[in-house]
Amino acid sequence: MFSFLKKKGNVNEIPEWASFFTGKEYTFFIIEIKKYLDHLSVSYEILDGIIKVEDAIFGLNQLGLVNVAQVCKQNKMAEYGEIITEHFNALIRSNNFNEEFEKNINDFEKVKPYLGVRLYHHDYFEKVGIKNTIGTYLTETVYCTLVFNLPDSINSVKPEQAENWGQNSEELIKLGIKNIKQNHEWEITEERIGNLKIWFVQSEHFFGPNIVFDLKNRKELLNDMGVLIAMPHRHAVIIYPIKTLEVVDAINSLIPIVDGMNQEGPGSLTNQLYYYKNEIFLNLPYKLSDGKVEFTPPDEFIEVLNNLQ
């Protein structure tokens, strides 16, 4: 890692993690980050996609920049300061709440309402290790993680925290899924992409992809032949019901959109496209090169295509 704010550095050089910014946007973003931290009078250093802080005000000594940068990118530059302030103030509020919450961590009845399940790409846990979480795989790369869904933060539940609860992991995951469904709503609309009709699921909260746990109860989104489904980031899911060989056009249209949404974030989950039927996700591998889609369907999906009109 290296600092982008050393006196001899050039803040107009955009690092890879912030490649979605223009030079002007990135410079302004860094200026607003510095302005916020200087106002708090904390000691800090801005590195490659993170901020190292020495003060305990945030409860962490490393703060990620990618998600807040992605949110800023999707808004006007004049709003960057407000977005940054709310993002990091939420971390401070979270730290204060967590200190009290930790005192009741062994009391299952008190923590039970805060349990949830969130979907992550498994690479998210590369540093801490999946073994230090409680969860299960939804697909080869999408991991269902038990979390504490707190007022200003979402924290993974550590195995040692759950030791005194008298619940197995399967029961906890079911409870977490149920809590999220009861406490959050999704906006589901039918949209058009060219001549294609899709279902678009979106949310302001971080549990947009959790709609996949409730698909069996949402028959209007499904079809006897199955659906294409994508979960590009924490706020969105795209569903295309398969009826005819129009699905081939749908695949070619959806792949660049899904890949772009995944890159933009915030809270990127996966750029994969899946075939879904009977609660099973089948990955549909592809490559994007110079704007062209190279699609390599597995045998199971070719069989589906062969049965279509």
Side-chain angles (χ1 to χ4, degrees):
M1 295 188 293
F2 54 97
S3 173
F4 292 107
L5 292 181
K6 293 179 180 177
K7 292 182 179 179
K8 295 183 180 180
N10 181 0
V11 295
N12 288 311
E13 294 178 0
I14 307 173
E16 185 176 352
W17 70 265
S19 59
F20 43 81
F21 277 140
T22 65
K24 183 178 180 181
E25 290 169 341
Y26 175 69
T27 300
F28 190 72
F29 174 77
I30 293 297
I31 289 172
E32 290 298 316
I33 289 286
K34 291 182 65 181
K35 187 186 299 184
Y36 173 82
L37 293 170
D38 289 341
H39 178 72
L40 292 181
S41 299
V42 299
S43 177
Y44 66 91
E45 183 180 11
I46 299 181
L47 302 172
D48 191 6
I50 65 168
I51 306 169
K52 291 186 69 175
V53 291
E54 295 181 3
D55 199 288
I57 187 172
F58 297 103
L60 301 165
N61 57 18
Q62 289 191 0
L63 311 175
L65 286 173
V66 177
N67 283 339
V68 67
Q70 289 176 329
V71 175
C72 285
K73 174 62 180 179
Q74 295 176 8
N75 291 272
K76 297 177 181 178
M77 288 175 59
E79 299 171 354
Y80 283 14
E82 182 180 348
I83 292 168
I84 288 167
T85 297
E86 173 53 28
H87 176 82
F88 289 108
N89 281 354
L91 292 181
I92 296 173
R93 294 195 301 269
S94 171
N95 183 41
N96 294 333
F97 181 91
N98 289 352
E99 288 181 357
E100 290 300 313
F101 186 75
E102 283 289 331
K103 297 175 182 178
N104 299 310
I105 203 71
N106 293 322
D107 189 333
F108 182 66
E109 290 304 314
K110 289 185 177 179
V111 302
K112 182 179 177 180
Y114 294 100
L115 291 176
V117 164
R118 183 178 171 188
L119 299 182
Y120 292 90
H121 193 281
H122 65 175
D123 286 352
Y124 179 85
F125 299 102
E126 185 175 345
K127 290 184 179 179
V128 300
I130 283 184
K131 66 180 180 180
N132 295 313
T133 68
I134 297 173
T136 184
Y137 276 92
L138 180 73
T139 73
E140 297 93 332
T141 58
V142 176
Y143 187 66
C144 312
T145 314
L146 188 70
V147 297
F148 291 121
N149 184 23
L150 305 177
D152 287 293
S153 67
I154 298 172
N155 305 324
S156 297
V157 178
K158 300 180 178 67
E160 58 268 25
Q161 291 174 316
E163 285 180 355
N164 297 321
W165 294 348
Q167 307 286 321
N168 62 46
S169 59
E170 185 176 346
E171 292 170 336
L172 291 171
I173 292 293
K174 287 180 179 179
L175 174 60
I177 291 172
K178 179 182 177 181
N179 282 350
I180 297 301
K181 180 181 176 181
Q182 289 179 341
N183 297 324
H184 297 278
E185 295 182 353
W186 291 261
E187 180 183 347
I188 304 174
T189 56
E190 191 174 36
E191 306 287 347
R192 280 190 174 273
I193 299 176
N195 294 323
L196 303 173
K197 288 184 179 181
I198 65 162
W199 291 106
F200 186 56
V201 182
Q202 57 184 327
S203 68
E204 292 293 326
H205 54 77
F206 290 6
F207 301 95
N210 283 46
I211 192 73
V212 301
F213 297 123
D214 197 40
L215 287 178
K216 61 180 178 291
N217 298 317
R218 296 178 182 265
K219 302 299 183 183
E220 74 278 9
L221 303 180
L222 303 180
N223 186 276
D224 291 341
M225 295 302 296
V227 300
L228 299 179
I229 190 166
M231 302 168 281
H233 55 65
R234 68 192 182 198
H235 300 296
V237 173
I238 296 173
I239 299 173
Y240 172 81
I242 298 171
K243 298 177 181 178
T244 70
L245 280 172
E246 181 190 62
V247 65
V248 177
D249 294 330
I251 290 168
N252 283 294
S253 297
L254 289 176
I255 283 175
I257 293 172
V258 171
D259 189 74
M261 290 176 66
N262 176 251
Q263 291 186 44
E264 290 176 6
S268 299
L269 179 53
T270 176
N271 67 347
Q272 294 298 324
L273 186 65
Y274 297 96
Y275 170 64
Y276 173 89
K277 186 178 180 182
N278 298 330
E279 301 185 50
I280 295 176
F281 291 85
L282 176 66
N283 182 27
L284 303 179
Y286 70 85
K287 290 182 181 179
L288 271 178
S289 178
D290 298 325
K292 295 182 179 179
V293 176
E294 182 182 328
F295 179 55
T296 52
D299 292 341
E300 298 95 321
F301 191 67
I302 292 176
E303 185 176 342
V304 173
L305 296 179
N306 288 337
N307 290 325
L308 294 174
Q309 296 293 321

